[in-house]
């Protein structure tokens, strides 16, 4: 019995020792594994820190290189120019205008004077991502910098300045053709044919801006768009010459529509309905009235009638001369025919499809 008890105690002792050794071994293995993991983590952290530091150094070096290159470029451009070297700044249009004005004739001379004049400014998404327009819809108006691409003297841009024969003075419509210094006017014929205008932002949709109150012809290339800021863009107490204030010289007495116009517009409208910037023929008619509320004829067209009648010295001749002349306005591909009476009353005769 004593021998059995001793044998049993010996087995339990052996089992206890075995379990204790197993526990110590497992604990040691766990500690070793944890320490190994910590070492690996520390090594990984050091490698990541080293990689980040190298990236920062590389970015700093690249930025320093860009700054140095920009400084060298500005320095080179500031060097005295020879006759054969002219500094230029390469710029490309980033957007194009799709306007209700198909031609220069009839396009308002200033912005916002025709509130219903609409255009869609469409950005080139390869140059300008749509995200660039985020926030613009919160502004009521925006500035548009563009190119006078329909100027008839654009070939002068590729000539030497000494041979371009830039006109120092231009004829001013408000002065009945009298001349004024180029930079005292907004003539499109400038040394650098760049225009600046303001328009109302109706909506922003994807890569395009719907505008109103525009004075831009269809196809106008756009260089930049900036939001209008009333607190700094509207200058209180700004003054202008007296001749600029004489708006009544270009305002007509009235605009009336003939029965033929209503019939022809009704006939043409279904063809342009889906692609038009206007929702109905009635709205389109209001646009025509707003455009023709100003005398859109050129200086030569106005003076020609006046000179012809001046020679006869009779009001009857003036009236007859006015009745015989039909003028044309092109809107959204439609040709609007109208005439002006001796009393500056506009009679809109008809509308037809413009010849291609």
């Amino acid at each position: 019995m004593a021998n059995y008890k001793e044998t049993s105690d010996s087995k339990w002792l052996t089992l206890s020792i075995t379990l204790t050794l197993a526990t110590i071994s497992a604990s040691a293995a766990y500690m070793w594994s944890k320490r190994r993991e910590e070492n690996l983590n520390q090594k990984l952290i050091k490698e990541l820190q080293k990689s980040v530091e190298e990236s920062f150094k590389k970015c700093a070096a690249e930025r320093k290189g860009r700054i140095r290159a920009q400084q060298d470029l500005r320095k080179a451009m500031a060097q005295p120019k020879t006759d054969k070297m002219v500094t230029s700044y390469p710029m490309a249009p980033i957007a194009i205008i799709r306007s209700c004005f198909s031609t220069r004739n009839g396009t308002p001379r200033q912005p916002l004077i025709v509130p219903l004049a609409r255009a869609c400014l469409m950005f080139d998404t390869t140059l300008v991502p749509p995200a660039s327009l985020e926030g613009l819809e919160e502004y009521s108006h925006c500035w548009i910098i563009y190119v006078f691409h329909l100027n008839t003297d654009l070939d002068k841009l590729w000539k030497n300045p000494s041979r371009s024969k830039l006109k120092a003075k231009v004829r001013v419509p408000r002065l009945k053709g009298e001349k004024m210094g180029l930079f005292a006017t907004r003539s499109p014929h400038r040394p650098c044919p760049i225009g600046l205008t303001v328009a109302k932002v109706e909506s922003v949709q994807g890569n395009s801006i719907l505008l109103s109150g525009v004075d831009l012809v269809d196809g106008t290339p756009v260089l930049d768009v900036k939001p209008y800021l009333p607190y700094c863009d509207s200058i209180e107490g700004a003054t202008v010459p007296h001749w600029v204030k004489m708006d009544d010289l270009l305002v007509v007495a009235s605009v009336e529509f003939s029965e033929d116009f209503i019939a022809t517009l009704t006939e043409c409208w279904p063809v342009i309905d889906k692609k038009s910037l206007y929702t109905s023929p009635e709205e389109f008619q209001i646009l025509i009235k707003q455009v023709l509320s100003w005398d859109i004829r050129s200086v030569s067209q106005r003076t020609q009638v006046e000179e012809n009648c001046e020679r006869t010295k009779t009001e009857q001749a003036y009236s007859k001369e006015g009745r015989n002349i039909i003028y044309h306005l092109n809107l959204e591909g439609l040709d609007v025919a109208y005439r002006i009476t001796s009393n500056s009353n506009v009679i809109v005769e008809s509308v037809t499809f413009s010849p291609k």
Side-chain angles (χ1 to χ4, degrees), residues 19-40:
L19 290 172
T20 302
L21 289 174
T23 301
I24 293 172
S25 177
S27 179
Y30 173 74
M31 293 297 293
W32 179 83
S33 176
K34 187 175 182 181
R35 186 174 298 172
R36 184 168 178 267
E37 184 179 354
E38 289 177 353
N39 290 337
L40 289 174

Side-chain angles (χ1 to χ4, degrees), residues 109 170-180 185 242-251 295 297-307 310 318 342 344:
R109 294 185 175 94
V170 294
R171 295 184 183 277
V172 181
R174 293 173 185 265
L175 293 178
K176 296 185 177 181
E178 292 185 24
K179 292 185 177 182
M180 188 62 63
T185 74
H242 176 68
W243 58 267
V244 176
K245 302 176 183 178
M246 297 188 295
D247 291 337
D248 58 324
L249 292 178
L250 298 176
V251 176
D295 192 343
R297 295 176 300 173
S298 65
V299 173
S300 60
Q301 286 177 325
R302 293 201 306 272
T303 56
Q304 181 180 3
V305 175
E306 293 174 358
E307 289 174 356
E310 182 66 22
Y318 187 97
S342 59
S344 295

Side-chain angles (χ1 to χ4, degrees), residues 94-146:
I94 61 172
I96 193 168
I97 290 290
R98 294 304 177 196
S99 169
C100 64
F101 299 106
S102 306
T103 62
R104 289 183 301 172
N105 179 40
T107 302
R109 294 185 175 94
Q110 303 298 340
L112 305 179
I113 63 174
V114 179
L116 205 56
R118 292 177 186 158
C120 186
L121 192 156
M122 304 178 65
F123 285 92
D124 183 347
T125 53
T126 62
L127 301 174
V128 180
S132 304
L133 287 95
E134 289 183 6
L136 183 61
E137 71 279 358
E138 298 179 30
Y139 294 88
S140 65
H141 295 76
C142 68
W143 293 107
I144 302 168
I145 302 173
Y146 61 97

Side-chain angles (χ1 to χ4, degrees), residues 132-204:
S132 304
L133 287 95
E134 289 183 6
L136 183 61
E137 71 279 358
E138 298 179 30
Y139 294 88
S140 65
H141 295 76
C142 68
W143 293 107
I144 302 168
I145 302 173
Y146 61 97
V147 179
F148 288 110
H149 69 299
L150 293 182
N151 279 5
T152 56
D153 57 355
L154 287 179
D155 60 304
K156 294 181 180 180
L157 296 177
W158 286 268
K159 294 182 179 180
N160 187 291
S162 62
R163 297 174 52 207
S164 65
K165 297 181 180 179
L166 173 71
K167 292 183 179 180
K169 290 190 174 185
V170 294
R171 295 184 183 277
V172 181
R174 293 173 185 265
L175 293 178
K176 296 185 177 181
E178 292 185 24
K179 292 185 177 182
M180 188 62 63
L182 169 64
F183 293 112
T185 74
R186 293 190 174 185
S187 168
H189 302 286
R190 320 183 74 80
C192 294
I194 296 175
L196 173 67
T197 188
V198 66
K200 184 179 180 183
V201 178
E202 295 290 348
S203 65
V204 177

Side-chain angles (χ1 to χ4, degrees), residues 52-65:
V52 170
E53 290 176 358
E54 290 177 352
S55 296
F56 276 130
K57 289 180 181 179
K58 185 178 180 180
C59 289
E62 290 177 351
R63 183 173 182 274
K64 188 175 181 180

Side-chain angles (χ1 to χ4, degrees), residues 80-87 159-162:
K81 305 174 186 62
T82 63
D83 292 339
K84 296 182 180 180
M85 183 179 70
V86 178
T87 300
K159 294 182 179 180
N160 187 291
S162 62

